[in-house]
Amino acid sequence: SQELEQSPQSLIVQEGKNLTINCTSSKTLYGLYWYKQKYGEGLIFLMMLQKGGEEKSHEKITAKLDEKKQQSSLHITASQPSHAGIYLCGALSEIYGGATNKLIFGTGTLLAVQP
Amino acid sequence: EAQVTQNPRYLITVTGKKLTVTCSQNMNHEYMSWYRQDPGLGLRQIYYSMNVEVTDKGDVPEGYKVSRKEKRNFPLILESPSPNQTSLYFCASSLRAAIYNSPLHFGNGTRLTVT
């Protein structure tokens, strides 16, 4: 079955530093979502990528989907304490070469930002 | 305010005592889904609903029931809870099914403990 692997599992950075989180799939990614979760709370939608090579930005967060549509990265520039939380990638699962209605998630990356 | 509302936020119960976790959305969304989140396992889909009276199993449906009699509500029922159902549960909704690249909106979660 398709799985989404996120790396790193956890990350501690100093305020102001840049960082990158990766999401890798063994199959083609049809619709890749990035969410942020504060501990014990609901997930907040950040961005969605569909096309190979696509890149989107929101404030200081940039997400990219590679040309092969098997890996996505989330880059935070000049990190702030407000960026701390768990970042999850989600994607439509693939079956028989096509997308399904099921959204699967990676296990998340825990980000801590030290002031 | 557009939102997905789950109740209760916290619940402690004993094995075998039937319980219901309610979920309501005020965005006229067609698609609703339940997930459970466990350490190391990430988010796993329990059940989903494409529209009123249309429900289907996700990855981990055993021990759960759902119903979708109205568009706005999608309760999760545990007929006979067991300790392995101790988890953090999320309800989510989207305007249309996932395959149409419609982002999920999540509730704030229900932390369930079964002793």
Side-chain angles (χ1 to χ4, degrees):
Chain A
S1 61
Q2 185 177 11
E3 291 184 354
L4 297 180
E5 189 171 318
Q6 283 187 240
S7 63
Q9 287 189 330
S10 62
L11 191 54
I12 303 173
V13 299
Q14 279 200 308
E15 184 175 358
K17 295 293 186 185
N18 302 337
L19 63 104
T20 300
I21 297 168
N22 293 303
C23 175
T24 304
S25 172
S26 55
K27 299 187 179 182
T28 301
L29 292 166
Y30 293 97
L32 188 286
Y33 298 78
W34 282 101
Y35 285 87
K36 180 187 175 185
Q37 181 183 22
K38 291 200 170 178
Y39 180 75
E41 296 183 9
L43 282 69
I44 298 168
F45 170 71
L46 296 175
M47 277 172 277
M48 179 184 72
L49 304 165
Q50 292 177 255
K51 301 175 184 174
E54 187 175 7
E55 179 176 321
K56 286 187 178 178
S57 294
H58 176 67
E59 297 179 344
K60 293 185 178 181
I61 301 176
T62 300
K64 299 178 186 178
L65 182 61
D66 74 339
E67 288 288 345
K68 291 184 178 179
K69 292 174 65 176
Q70 286 195 281
Q71 184 171 23
S72 177
S73 60
L74 186 84
H75 184 77
I76 299 177
T77 304
S79 58
Q80 300 168 356
S82 61
H83 288 127
I86 301 169
Y87 289 83
L88 293 101
C89 62
L92 297 177
S93 64
E94 179 205 359
I95 187 169
Y96 307 127
T100 70
N101 264 318
K102 189 167 77 171
L103 193 63
I104 59 174
F105 288 89
T107 51
T109 295
L110 176 61
L111 171 64
V113 180
Q114 292 183 331
Chain B
E1 181 188 350
Q3 58 186 359
V4 178
T5 303
Q6 292 178 232
N7 279 299
R9 287 293 308 276
Y10 301 92
L11 181 58
I12 301 173
T13 189
V14 295
T15 299
K17 187 176 181 182
K18 180 179 178 180
L19 66 92
T20 299
V21 184
T22 63
C23 174
S24 179
Q25 50 89 9
N26 61 0
M27 297 170 279
N28 202 35
H29 283 175
E30 290 183 353
Y31 182 91
M32 296 186 76
S33 182
W34 277 102
Y35 287 86
R36 60 178 288 175
Q37 187 177 36
D38 303 287
L41 297 175
L43 277 165
R44 293 179 293 167
Q45 190 178 46
I46 303 171
Y47 270 95
Y48 66 94
S49 169
M50 302 281 280
N51 214 323
V52 177
E53 302 291 2
V54 181
T55 62
D56 210 344
K57 297 176 181 179
D59 290 321
V60 288
E62 295 78 20
Y64 305 94
K65 285 175 59 178
V66 293
S67 68
R68 188 93 182 272
K69 296 177 181 173
E70 306 165 279
K71 200 170 188 178
R72 62 183 293 127
N73 296 322
F74 191 45
L76 179 70
I77 303 158
L78 284 72
E79 294 271 2
S80 182
S82 61
N84 65 12
Q85 293 179 297
T86 293
S87 186
L88 180 58
Y89 291 85
F90 289 104
C91 179
S93 72
S94 60
L95 185 61
R96 301 179 71 187
I99 200 165
Y100 297 107
N101 291 316
S102 193
L104 282 171
H105 298 257
F106 283 81
N108 281 330
T110 295
R111 188 169 291 281
L112 171 65
T113 302
V114 183
T115 61

mmCIF file of all heavy atoms in Angstrom, chain A residues 21 23 28-35 45-58 61-66 69 71-75 89-92 103, chain B residues 98 101-103:
data_model
loop_
_atom_site.group_PDB
_atom_site.id
_atom_site.type_symbol
_atom_site.label_atom_id
_atom_site.label_comp_id
_atom_site.label_asym_id
_atom_site.label_seq_id
_atom_site.Cartn_x
_atom_site.Cartn_y
_atom_site.Cartn_z
ATOM 1 N N ILE A 21 11.429 20.514 5.208
ATOM 2 C CA ILE A 21 10.817 19.232 5.568
ATOM 3 C C ILE A 21 10.452 18.530 4.262
ATOM 4 O O ILE A 21 9.944 19.158 3.331
ATOM 5 C CB ILE A 21 9.539 19.458 6.415
ATOM 6 C CG1 ILE A 21 9.894 20.151 7.725
ATOM 7 C CG2 ILE A 21 8.812 18.150 6.671
ATOM 8 C CD1 ILE A 21 8.678 20.671 8.487
ATOM 9 N N CYS A 23 8.676 15.166 2.081
ATOM 10 C CA CYS A 23 7.612 14.166 2.053
ATOM 11 C C CYS A 23 7.808 13.330 0.803
ATOM 12 O O CYS A 23 7.795 13.876 -0.314
ATOM 13 C CB CYS A 23 6.255 14.858 2.043
ATOM 14 S SG CYS A 23 4.834 13.758 1.878
ATOM 15 N N THR A 28 3.097 7.706 -7.355
ATOM 16 C CA THR A 28 2.830 9.064 -7.839
ATOM 17 C C THR A 28 1.901 9.792 -6.877
ATOM 18 O O THR A 28 0.933 9.229 -6.375
ATOM 19 C CB THR A 28 2.167 9.002 -9.220
ATOM 20 O OG1 THR A 28 3.044 8.310 -10.112
ATOM 21 C CG2 THR A 28 1.920 10.404 -9.772
ATOM 22 N N LEU A 29 2.214 11.042 -6.630
ATOM 23 C CA LEU A 29 1.403 11.883 -5.752
ATOM 24 C C LEU A 29 0.351 12.627 -6.572
ATOM 25 O O LEU A 29 0.663 13.473 -7.387
ATOM 26 C CB LEU A 29 2.296 12.889 -5.020
ATOM 27 C CG LEU A 29 3.267 12.306 -3.996
ATOM 28 C CD1 LEU A 29 4.319 13.327 -3.606
ATOM 29 C CD2 LEU A 29 2.519 11.814 -2.769
ATOM 30 N N TYR A 30 -0.908 12.253 -6.329
ATOM 31 C CA TYR A 30 -2.007 12.953 -6.979
ATOM 32 C C TYR A 30 -2.620 13.902 -5.973
ATOM 33 O O TYR A 30 -3.404 13.500 -5.126
ATOM 34 C CB TYR A 30 -3.071 11.959 -7.449
ATOM 35 C CG TYR A 30 -2.612 11.048 -8.546
ATOM 36 C CD1 TYR A 30 -2.141 9.770 -8.256
ATOM 37 C CD2 TYR A 30 -2.661 11.445 -9.874
ATOM 38 C CE1 TYR A 30 -1.718 8.935 -9.268
ATOM 39 C CE2 TYR A 30 -2.242 10.607 -10.887
ATOM 40 C CZ TYR A 30 -1.766 9.348 -10.582
ATOM 41 O OH TYR A 30 -1.351 8.525 -11.571
ATOM 42 N N GLY A 31 -2.275 15.175 -6.023
ATOM 43 C CA GLY A 31 -2.823 16.089 -5.023
ATOM 44 C C GLY A 31 -2.050 15.941 -3.731
ATOM 45 O O GLY A 31 -2.253 15.005 -2.973
ATOM 46 N N LEU A 32 -1.139 16.857 -3.481
ATOM 47 C CA LEU A 32 -0.305 16.807 -2.286
ATOM 48 C C LEU A 32 -0.689 17.992 -1.403
ATOM 49 O O LEU A 32 -0.719 19.136 -1.860
ATOM 50 C CB LEU A 32 1.175 16.882 -2.695
ATOM 51 C CG LEU A 32 2.276 16.665 -1.649
ATOM 52 C CD1 LEU A 32 2.439 17.843 -0.703
ATOM 53 C CD2 LEU A 32 2.054 15.375 -0.873
ATOM 54 N N TYR A 33 -1.017 17.686 -0.141
ATOM 55 C CA TYR A 33 -1.452 18.712 0.800
ATOM 56 C C TYR A 33 -0.434 18.845 1.920
ATOM 57 O O TYR A 33 0.138 17.849 2.371
ATOM 58 C CB TYR A 33 -2.789 18.314 1.437
ATOM 59 C CG TYR A 33 -3.941 18.171 0.480
ATOM 60 C CD1 TYR A 33 -4.089 17.033 -0.316
ATOM 61 C CD2 TYR A 33 -4.910 19.160 0.384
ATOM 62 C CE1 TYR A 33 -5.151 16.904 -1.185
ATOM 63 C CE2 TYR A 33 -5.983 19.032 -0.476
ATOM 64 C CZ TYR A 33 -6.093 17.902 -1.258
ATOM 65 O OH TYR A 33 -7.159 17.781 -2.118
ATOM 66 N N TRP A 34 -0.252 20.058 2.374
ATOM 67 C CA TRP A 34 0.521 20.295 3.584
ATOM 68 C C TRP A 34 -0.391 20.893 4.655
ATOM 69 O O TRP A 34 -1.151 21.828 4.390
ATOM 70 C CB TRP A 34 1.687 21.244 3.323
ATOM 71 C CG TRP A 34 2.849 20.593 2.653
ATOM 72 C CD1 TRP A 34 3.187 20.645 1.330
ATOM 73 C CD2 TRP A 34 3.849 19.769 3.284
ATOM 74 N NE1 TRP A 34 4.330 19.914 1.089
ATOM 75 C CE2 TRP A 34 4.754 19.373 2.271
ATOM 76 C CE3 TRP A 34 4.078 19.331 4.593
ATOM 77 C CZ2 TRP A 34 5.848 18.565 2.530
ATOM 78 C CZ3 TRP A 34 5.161 18.527 4.848
ATOM 79 C CH2 TRP A 34 6.039 18.158 3.823
ATOM 80 N N TYR A 35 -0.301 20.325 5.847
ATOM 81 C CA TYR A 35 -1.071 20.796 6.994
ATOM 82 C C TYR A 35 -0.118 21.071 8.149
ATOM 83 O O TYR A 35 0.954 20.478 8.258
ATOM 84 C CB TYR A 35 -2.075 19.727 7.449
ATOM 85 C CG TYR A 35 -3.281 19.574 6.568
ATOM 86 C CD1 TYR A 35 -3.254 18.732 5.456
ATOM 87 C CD2 TYR A 35 -4.459 20.256 6.840
ATOM 88 C CE1 TYR A 35 -4.367 18.574 4.645
ATOM 89 C CE2 TYR A 35 -5.578 20.105 6.038
ATOM 90 C CZ TYR A 35 -5.523 19.267 4.942
ATOM 91 O OH TYR A 35 -6.615 19.128 4.146
ATOM 92 N N PHE A 45 -4.993 23.692 7.172
ATOM 93 C CA PHE A 45 -4.551 23.558 5.787
ATOM 94 C C PHE A 45 -3.586 24.685 5.440
ATOM 95 O O PHE A 45 -3.849 25.856 5.695
ATOM 96 C CB PHE A 45 -5.775 23.584 4.869
ATOM 97 C CG PHE A 45 -5.455 23.691 3.415
ATOM 98 C CD1 PHE A 45 -4.892 22.618 2.742
ATOM 99 C CD2 PHE A 45 -5.728 24.851 2.713
ATOM 100 C CE1 PHE A 45 -4.613 22.708 1.393
ATOM 101 C CE2 PHE A 45 -5.439 24.958 1.361
ATOM 102 C CZ PHE A 45 -4.881 23.877 0.696
ATOM 103 N N LEU A 46 -2.441 24.310 4.851
ATOM 104 C CA LEU A 46 -1.457 25.298 4.415
ATOM 105 C C LEU A 46 -1.500 25.496 2.897
ATOM 106 O O LEU A 46 -1.730 26.593 2.413
ATOM 107 C CB LEU A 46 -0.045 24.861 4.826
ATOM 108 C CG LEU A 46 0.233 24.779 6.321
ATOM 109 C CD1 LEU A 46 1.623 24.214 6.572
ATOM 110 C CD2 LEU A 46 0.073 26.133 6.988
ATOM 111 N N MET A 47 -1.238 24.413 2.164
ATOM 112 C CA MET A 47 -1.153 24.514 0.705
ATOM 113 C C MET A 47 -1.458 23.186 0.045
ATOM 114 O O MET A 47 -1.317 22.138 0.663
ATOM 115 C CB MET A 47 0.258 24.944 0.285
ATOM 116 C CG MET A 47 0.486 26.428 0.357
ATOM 117 S SD MET A 47 2.196 26.885 0.080
ATOM 118 C CE MET A 47 2.872 26.652 1.700
ATOM 119 N N MET A 48 -1.836 23.266 -1.229
ATOM 120 C CA MET A 48 -2.069 22.079 -2.021
ATOM 121 C C MET A 48 -1.306 22.202 -3.343
ATOM 122 O O MET A 48 -1.306 23.277 -3.955
ATOM 123 C CB MET A 48 -3.561 21.930 -2.322
ATOM 124 C CG MET A 48 -3.892 20.724 -3.159
ATOM 125 S SD MET A 48 -5.638 20.673 -3.585
ATOM 126 C CE MET A 48 -5.728 21.992 -4.781
ATOM 127 N N LEU A 49 -0.668 21.133 -3.745
ATOM 128 C CA LEU A 49 0.087 21.101 -5.002
ATOM 129 C C LEU A 49 -0.451 19.975 -5.852
ATOM 130 O O LEU A 49 -0.762 18.897 -5.354
ATOM 131 C CB LEU A 49 1.574 20.880 -4.719
ATOM 132 C CG LEU A 49 2.229 21.878 -3.777
ATOM 133 C CD1 LEU A 49 3.566 21.353 -3.298
ATOM 134 C CD2 LEU A 49 2.403 23.221 -4.472
ATOM 135 N N GLN A 50 -0.548 20.233 -7.146
ATOM 136 C CA GLN A 50 -1.097 19.213 -8.034
ATOM 137 C C GLN A 50 -0.156 18.827 -9.157
ATOM 138 O O GLN A 50 -0.075 17.668 -9.526
ATOM 139 C CB GLN A 50 -2.403 19.709 -8.657
ATOM 140 C CG GLN A 50 -3.552 19.859 -7.686
ATOM 141 C CD GLN A 50 -4.775 20.422 -8.380
ATOM 142 O OE1 GLN A 50 -5.124 21.577 -8.221
ATOM 143 N NE2 GLN A 50 -5.426 19.597 -9.167
ATOM 144 N N LYS A 51 0.492 19.804 -9.715
ATOM 145 C CA LYS A 51 1.258 19.539 -10.934
ATOM 146 C C LYS A 51 2.740 19.362 -10.642
ATOM 147 O O LYS A 51 3.295 20.016 -9.751
ATOM 148 C CB LYS A 51 1.084 20.706 -11.902
ATOM 149 C CG LYS A 51 -0.353 20.957 -12.299
ATOM 150 C CD LYS A 51 -0.459 22.193 -13.164
ATOM 151 C CE LYS A 51 -1.917 22.502 -13.470
ATOM 152 N NZ LYS A 51 -2.065 23.784 -14.198
ATOM 153 N N GLY A 52 3.379 18.501 -11.388
ATOM 154 C CA GLY A 52 4.813 18.310 -11.262
ATOM 155 C C GLY A 52 5.546 19.618 -11.479
ATOM 156 O O GLY A 52 5.262 20.327 -12.449
ATOM 157 N N GLY A 53 6.466 19.950 -10.568
ATOM 158 C CA GLY A 53 7.211 21.189 -10.686
ATOM 159 C C GLY A 53 6.527 22.393 -10.062
ATOM 160 O O GLY A 53 7.082 23.485 -10.020
ATOM 161 N N GLU A 54 5.322 22.194 -9.550
ATOM 162 C CA GLU A 54 4.568 23.311 -8.991
ATOM 163 C C GLU A 54 5.190 23.803 -7.687
ATOM 164 O O GLU A 54 5.705 23.014 -6.905
ATOM 165 C CB GLU A 54 3.115 22.888 -8.761
ATOM 166 C CG GLU A 54 2.205 24.020 -8.338
ATOM 167 C CD GLU A 54 0.743 23.576 -8.237
ATOM 168 O OE1 GLU A 54 0.467 22.362 -8.376
ATOM 169 O OE2 GLU A 54 -0.122 24.450 -8.035
ATOM 170 N N GLU A 55 5.092 25.082 -7.484
ATOM 171 C CA GLU A 55 5.608 25.699 -6.264
ATOM 172 C C GLU A 55 4.615 26.748 -5.794
ATOM 173 O O GLU A 55 4.089 27.524 -6.601
ATOM 174 C CB GLU A 55 6.963 26.353 -6.531
ATOM 175 C CG GLU A 55 7.582 27.042 -5.338
ATOM 176 C CD GLU A 55 8.974 27.579 -5.635
ATOM 177 O OE1 GLU A 55 9.725 26.895 -6.342
ATOM 178 O OE2 GLU A 55 9.283 28.693 -5.170
ATOM 179 N N LYS A 56 4.337 26.751 -4.492
ATOM 180 C CA LYS A 56 3.417 27.747 -3.921
ATOM 181 C C LYS A 56 4.028 28.319 -2.656
ATOM 182 O O LYS A 56 4.761 27.635 -1.942
ATOM 183 C CB LYS A 56 2.067 27.117 -3.590
ATOM 184 C CG LYS A 56 1.212 26.825 -4.803
ATOM 185 C CD LYS A 56 -0.168 26.358 -4.386
ATOM 186 C CE LYS A 56 -1.036 26.120 -5.611
ATOM 187 N NZ LYS A 56 -2.372 25.607 -5.243
ATOM 188 N N SER A 57 3.683 29.555 -2.399
ATOM 189 C CA SER A 57 4.207 30.222 -1.201
ATOM 190 C C SER A 57 3.084 30.910 -0.446
ATOM 191 O O SER A 57 2.126 31.412 -1.046
ATOM 192 C CB SER A 57 5.261 31.264 -1.578
ATOM 193 O OG SER A 57 6.399 30.658 -2.123
ATOM 194 N N HIS A 58 3.230 30.919 0.861
ATOM 195 C CA HIS A 58 2.303 31.668 1.711
ATOM 196 C C HIS A 58 3.116 32.226 2.857
ATOM 197 O O HIS A 58 3.655 31.471 3.666
ATOM 198 C CB HIS A 58 1.196 30.763 2.243
ATOM 199 C CG HIS A 58 0.281 31.465 3.187
ATOM 200 N ND1 HIS A 58 -0.559 32.482 2.807
ATOM 201 C CD2 HIS A 58 0.087 31.297 4.521
ATOM 202 C CE1 HIS A 58 -1.226 32.911 3.853
ATOM 203 N NE2 HIS A 58 -0.867 32.208 4.894
ATOM 204 N N ILE A 61 6.418 30.471 4.032
ATOM 205 C CA ILE A 61 6.420 29.034 3.790
ATOM 206 C C ILE A 61 6.255 28.771 2.294
ATOM 207 O O ILE A 61 5.330 29.296 1.673
ATOM 208 C CB ILE A 61 5.292 28.340 4.576
ATOM 209 C CG1 ILE A 61 5.468 28.607 6.063
ATOM 210 C CG2 ILE A 61 5.276 26.854 4.282
ATOM 211 C CD1 ILE A 61 4.343 28.041 6.924
ATOM 212 N N THR A 62 7.158 27.959 1.753
ATOM 213 C CA THR A 62 7.118 27.598 0.340
ATOM 214 C C THR A 62 7.067 26.084 0.211
ATOM 215 O O THR A 62 7.843 25.377 0.857
ATOM 216 C CB THR A 62 8.368 28.121 -0.402
ATOM 217 O OG1 THR A 62 8.420 29.544 -0.283
ATOM 218 C CG2 THR A 62 8.321 27.748 -1.878
ATOM 219 N N ALA A 63 6.169 25.598 -0.623
ATOM 220 C CA ALA A 63 6.078 24.162 -0.861
ATOM 221 C C ALA A 63 6.291 23.888 -2.335
ATOM 222 O O ALA A 63 5.855 24.653 -3.198
ATOM 223 C CB ALA A 63 4.721 23.633 -0.416
ATOM 224 N N LYS A 64 6.982 22.768 -2.612
ATOM 225 C CA LYS A 64 7.261 22.388 -3.993
ATOM 226 C C LYS A 64 6.911 20.922 -4.202
ATOM 227 O O LYS A 64 7.033 20.109 -3.289
ATOM 228 C CB LYS A 64 8.753 22.561 -4.308
ATOM 229 C CG LYS A 64 9.277 23.957 -4.170
ATOM 230 C CD LYS A 64 10.777 23.985 -4.470
ATOM 231 C CE LYS A 64 11.367 25.354 -4.197
ATOM 232 N NZ LYS A 64 12.830 25.387 -4.446
ATOM 233 N N LEU A 65 6.507 20.610 -5.403
ATOM 234 C CA LEU A 65 6.263 19.224 -5.793
ATOM 235 C C LEU A 65 7.225 18.922 -6.933
ATOM 236 O O LEU A 65 7.268 19.674 -7.915
ATOM 237 C CB LEU A 65 4.817 19.041 -6.234
ATOM 238 C CG LEU A 65 4.372 17.635 -6.635
ATOM 239 C CD1 LEU A 65 4.522 16.660 -5.470
ATOM 240 C CD2 LEU A 65 2.929 17.650 -7.124
ATOM 241 N N ASP A 66 8.007 17.864 -6.814
ATOM 242 C CA ASP A 66 9.014 17.626 -7.849
ATOM 243 C C ASP A 66 8.368 17.208 -9.165
ATOM 244 O O ASP A 66 7.189 16.878 -9.228
ATOM 245 C CB ASP A 66 10.039 16.592 -7.357
ATOM 246 C CG ASP A 66 9.476 15.177 -7.357
ATOM 247 O OD1 ASP A 66 8.236 15.012 -7.348
ATOM 248 O OD2 ASP A 66 10.278 14.221 -7.355
ATOM 249 N N LYS A 69 6.587 14.005 -9.367
ATOM 250 C CA LYS A 69 5.424 13.927 -8.468
ATOM 251 C C LYS A 69 5.551 12.776 -7.485
ATOM 252 O O LYS A 69 4.590 12.042 -7.238
ATOM 253 C CB LYS A 69 4.139 13.811 -9.283
ATOM 254 C CG LYS A 69 3.830 15.083 -10.073
ATOM 255 C CD LYS A 69 2.634 14.914 -10.986
ATOM 256 C CE LYS A 69 1.366 14.684 -10.250
ATOM 257 N NZ LYS A 69 0.179 14.619 -11.118
ATOM 258 N N GLN A 71 7.876 13.442 -4.657
ATOM 259 C CA GLN A 71 8.439 14.078 -3.485
ATOM 260 C C GLN A 71 8.011 15.529 -3.414
ATOM 261 O O GLN A 71 7.946 16.226 -4.426
ATOM 262 C CB GLN A 71 9.960 13.995 -3.495
ATOM 263 C CG GLN A 71 10.597 14.552 -2.236
ATOM 264 C CD GLN A 71 12.084 14.273 -2.155
ATOM 265 O OE1 GLN A 71 12.726 14.056 -3.176
ATOM 266 N NE2 GLN A 71 12.631 14.271 -0.960
ATOM 267 N N SER A 72 7.722 15.954 -2.187
ATOM 268 C CA SER A 72 7.400 17.358 -1.960
ATOM 269 C C SER A 72 8.259 17.866 -0.813
ATOM 270 O O SER A 72 8.631 17.107 0.083
ATOM 271 C CB SER A 72 5.924 17.523 -1.614
ATOM 272 O OG SER A 72 5.627 18.879 -1.330
ATOM 273 N N SER A 73 8.559 19.140 -0.861
ATOM 274 C CA SER A 73 9.319 19.755 0.225
ATOM 275 C C SER A 73 8.588 20.993 0.710
ATOM 276 O O SER A 73 7.897 21.674 -0.057
ATOM 277 C CB SER A 73 10.726 20.128 -0.242
ATOM 278 O OG SER A 73 10.658 21.051 -1.310
ATOM 279 N N LEU A 74 8.746 21.255 1.984
ATOM 280 C CA LEU A 74 8.181 22.441 2.619
ATOM 281 C C LEU A 74 9.343 23.223 3.203
ATOM 282 O O LEU A 74 10.093 22.690 4.021
ATOM 283 C CB LEU A 74 7.192 22.049 3.725
ATOM 284 C CG LEU A 74 6.439 23.202 4.371
ATOM 285 C CD1 LEU A 74 5.225 23.566 3.520
ATOM 286 C CD2 LEU A 74 5.984 22.845 5.774
ATOM 287 N N HIS A 75 9.490 24.450 2.783
ATOM 288 C CA HIS A 75 10.624 25.261 3.210
ATOM 289 C C HIS A 75 10.121 26.468 3.982
ATOM 290 O O HIS A 75 9.227 27.175 3.517
ATOM 291 C CB HIS A 75 11.420 25.720 1.989
ATOM 292 C CG HIS A 75 12.658 26.484 2.329
ATOM 293 N ND1 HIS A 75 13.805 25.884 2.781
ATOM 294 C CD2 HIS A 75 12.902 27.816 2.302
ATOM 295 C CE1 HIS A 75 14.723 26.799 3.006
ATOM 296 N NE2 HIS A 75 14.214 27.986 2.723
ATOM 297 N N CYS A 89 2.184 15.964 5.714
ATOM 298 C CA CYS A 89 1.823 15.968 4.303
ATOM 299 C C CYS A 89 0.725 14.924 4.101
ATOM 300 O O CYS A 89 0.653 13.927 4.810
ATOM 301 C CB CYS A 89 3.015 15.671 3.404
ATOM 302 S SG CYS A 89 3.789 14.055 3.624
ATOM 303 N N GLY A 90 -0.139 15.198 3.169
ATOM 304 C CA GLY A 90 -1.216 14.281 2.830
ATOM 305 C C GLY A 90 -1.340 14.207 1.329
ATOM 306 O O GLY A 90 -1.011 15.166 0.622
ATOM 307 N N ALA A 91 -1.797 13.062 0.827
ATOM 308 C CA ALA A 91 -1.924 12.912 -0.619
ATOM 309 C C ALA A 91 -3.041 11.940 -0.932
ATOM 310 O O ALA A 91 -3.365 11.062 -0.135
ATOM 311 C CB ALA A 91 -0.607 12.417 -1.219
ATOM 312 N N LEU A 92 -3.605 12.123 -2.093
ATOM 313 C CA LEU A 92 -4.591 11.163 -2.563
ATOM 314 C C LEU A 92 -3.876 9.843 -2.827
ATOM 315 O O LEU A 92 -2.846 9.824 -3.485
ATOM 316 C CB LEU A 92 -5.254 11.651 -3.848
ATOM 317 C CG LEU A 92 -6.054 12.940 -3.751
ATOM 318 C CD1 LEU A 92 -6.598 13.341 -5.109
ATOM 319 C CD2 LEU A 92 -7.194 12.766 -2.758
ATOM 320 N N LEU A 103 -7.566 10.097 1.264
ATOM 321 C CA LEU A 103 -6.433 10.971 1.570
ATOM 322 C C LEU A 103 -5.604 10.301 2.653
ATOM 323 O O LEU A 103 -6.096 10.029 3.745
ATOM 324 C CB LEU A 103 -6.942 12.329 2.054
ATOM 325 C CG LEU A 103 -5.921 13.459 2.136
ATOM 326 C CD1 LEU A 103 -5.362 13.785 0.778
ATOM 327 C CD2 LEU A 103 -6.574 14.702 2.744
ATOM 328 N N ALA B 98 -12.299 14.177 -2.019
ATOM 329 C CA ALA B 98 -10.861 14.441 -2.086
ATOM 330 C C ALA B 98 -10.319 14.441 -3.506
ATOM 331 O O ALA B 98 -9.417 15.198 -3.850
ATOM 332 C CB ALA B 98 -10.124 13.406 -1.242
ATOM 333 N N ASN B 101 -9.627 17.496 -5.360
ATOM 334 C CA ASN B 101 -8.637 18.392 -4.767
ATOM 335 C C ASN B 101 -9.264 19.489 -3.933
ATOM 336 O O ASN B 101 -8.942 20.668 -4.060
ATOM 337 C CB ASN B 101 -7.734 18.978 -5.857
ATOM 338 C CG ASN B 101 -6.833 17.923 -6.444
ATOM 339 O OD1 ASN B 101 -6.250 17.126 -5.711
ATOM 340 N ND2 ASN B 101 -6.736 17.886 -7.740
ATOM 341 N N SER B 102 -10.174 19.074 -3.105
ATOM 342 C CA SER B 102 -10.863 19.977 -2.202
ATOM 343 C C SER B 102 -10.262 19.797 -0.816
ATOM 344 O O SER B 102 -10.353 18.715 -0.240
ATOM 345 C CB SER B 102 -12.348 19.603 -2.206
ATOM 346 O OG SER B 102 -13.127 20.569 -1.608
ATOM 347 N N PRO B 103 -9.589 20.795 -0.262
ATOM 348 C CA PRO B 103 -8.887 20.621 1.018
ATOM 349 C C PRO B 103 -9.828 20.240 2.154
ATOM 350 O O PRO B 103 -10.973 20.702 2.220
ATOM 351 C CB PRO B 103 -8.269 21.994 1.276
ATOM 352 C CG PRO B 103 -8.272 22.692 -0.030
ATOM 353 C CD PRO B 103 -9.431 22.155 -0.795
#
